[in-house]
Amino acid sequence: LDPDITFSDDPLRMMRCIRFSTQLNFRIEDTTQLALCRNAERIKIISQERIIDELNKIILSPVPSIGFIELERCGLLDIILPEIAALRGTESRNGKAHKDNFFHTLEVLDNIAQVTENNTEDSLFLRWAALLHDIGKIGIPDRILNKPTRLTDEEWEIMQKHPIYSGEILKEFTAISDMASAVKYHHEWYDGTGYPYKLKGEEIPFVSRIITV
């Protein structure tokens, strides 16, 4: 079968292709990979509900980062979850390259996947929270996010607002309810030394305590 015809006829097959490669842990061969890239824009004709259903299956895979790397590689991620794709890039702390926010997010997602079941609603919620926890960093200016030297006190104050931005962005996220509150508090610490709200102990939502990084 010609993968271009297969994906063009039903663009959701692109999501299924990546989902199967994630669930079964196989490499998508080059001809099919190129067809995914060529046909990525066709996913726009598929309803959000059907796309979310496939994303949920990828997220509930044993190693969900495999699927998100493939989605990013072929350009689908820029279309279906542009906020996650926008996390690509290095954040610097204290003058040193600290982490690529996109791959850091996938690392957190995989860590949560290792300690949760692959077929429950609670696991799905936790994994979505892990995926979306740093989404507010797209609201932080690049001059701060990627600054090669130590942040000033003023810049650090701005950086600490990214959980607030995450919560604001996810108010519109209807695929899973209560996601905004789960990610808004992920930098709060049990002893009250976190940010931005200085919550402590049981004041911090349980899911936020789990994904605290």
Side-chain angles (χ1 to χ4, degrees):
L1 293 177
D2 185 332
D4 280 297
I5 295 174
T6 298
F7 296 149
S8 181
D9 286 348
D10 182 1
L12 194 65
R13 289 171 179 162
M14 293 186 288
M15 296 291 298
R16 291 175 182 148
C17 172
I18 291 173
R19 188 241 299 177
F20 290 144
S21 76
T22 307
Q23 292 174 326
L24 302 176
N25 193 19
F26 66 81
R27 179 182 178 275
I28 298 173
E29 55 91 26
D30 293 341
T31 301
T32 302
Q33 172 64 34
L34 291 172
L36 286 169
C37 296
R38 286 192 294 267
N39 289 277
E41 289 288 330
R42 291 278 294 159
I43 201 67
K44 293 178 179 178
I45 70 173
I46 302 299
S47 70
Q48 182 183 34
E49 290 77 15
R50 296 179 73 197
I51 291 172
I52 290 292
D53 183 59
E54 289 298 324
L55 281 173
N56 285 343
K57 293 171 182 176
I58 291 172
I59 287 174
L60 285 174
S61 299
V63 187
S65 64
I66 294 172
F68 284 94
I69 290 171
E70 289 295 343
L71 288 169
E72 192 275 335
R73 197 157 69 105
C74 71
L76 281 169
L77 193 66
D78 290 276
I79 300 169
I80 62 177
L81 280 175
E83 298 86 356
I84 299 299
L87 292 175
R88 290 174 299 218
T90 301
E91 174 187 340
S92 296
R93 290 187 185 174
N94 300 326
K96 296 181 179 180
H98 179 60
K99 60 191 176 186
D100 181 291
N101 287 305
F102 175 67
F103 287 103
H104 162 70
T105 293
L106 297 186
E107 181 181 12
V108 175
L109 174 58
D110 282 348
N111 288 342
I112 293 293
Q114 288 177 15
V115 295
T116 55
E117 298 179 10
N118 296 326
N119 57 358
T120 70
E121 289 187 10
D122 287 344
S123 295
L124 183 62
F125 185 91
L126 280 169
R127 295 183 193 198
W128 268 110
L131 179 67
L132 300 171
H133 78 279
D134 262 352
I135 199 171
K137 284 185 177 176
I138 65 174
I140 303 297
D142 287 344
R143 63 178 177 81
I144 295 176
L145 196 62
N146 301 320
K147 186 178 179 181
T149 56
R150 185 185 299 273
L151 299 181
T152 65
D153 290 345
E154 180 182 358
E155 290 168 337
W156 178 235
E157 185 175 344
I158 293 172
M159 177 68 83
Q160 290 182 87
K161 292 180 180 179
H162 81 265
I164 300 174
Y165 298 154
S166 293
E168 290 297 316
I169 292 169
L170 292 173
K171 281 182 178 179
E172 307 301 321
F173 187 79
T174 58
I176 300 179
S177 61
D178 300 324
M179 187 57 61
S181 61
V183 303
K184 187 165 62 173
Y185 305 112
H186 78 273
H187 271 294
E188 305 295 334
W189 290 94
Y190 207 77
D191 62 1
T193 60
Y195 62 84
Y197 300 103
K198 304 298 182 184
L199 301 183
K200 60 182 178 180
E202 301 298 318
E203 295 173 343
I204 307 169
F206 179 68
V207 172
S208 303
R209 280 180 265 154
I210 293 176
I211 64 171
T212 293
V213 290

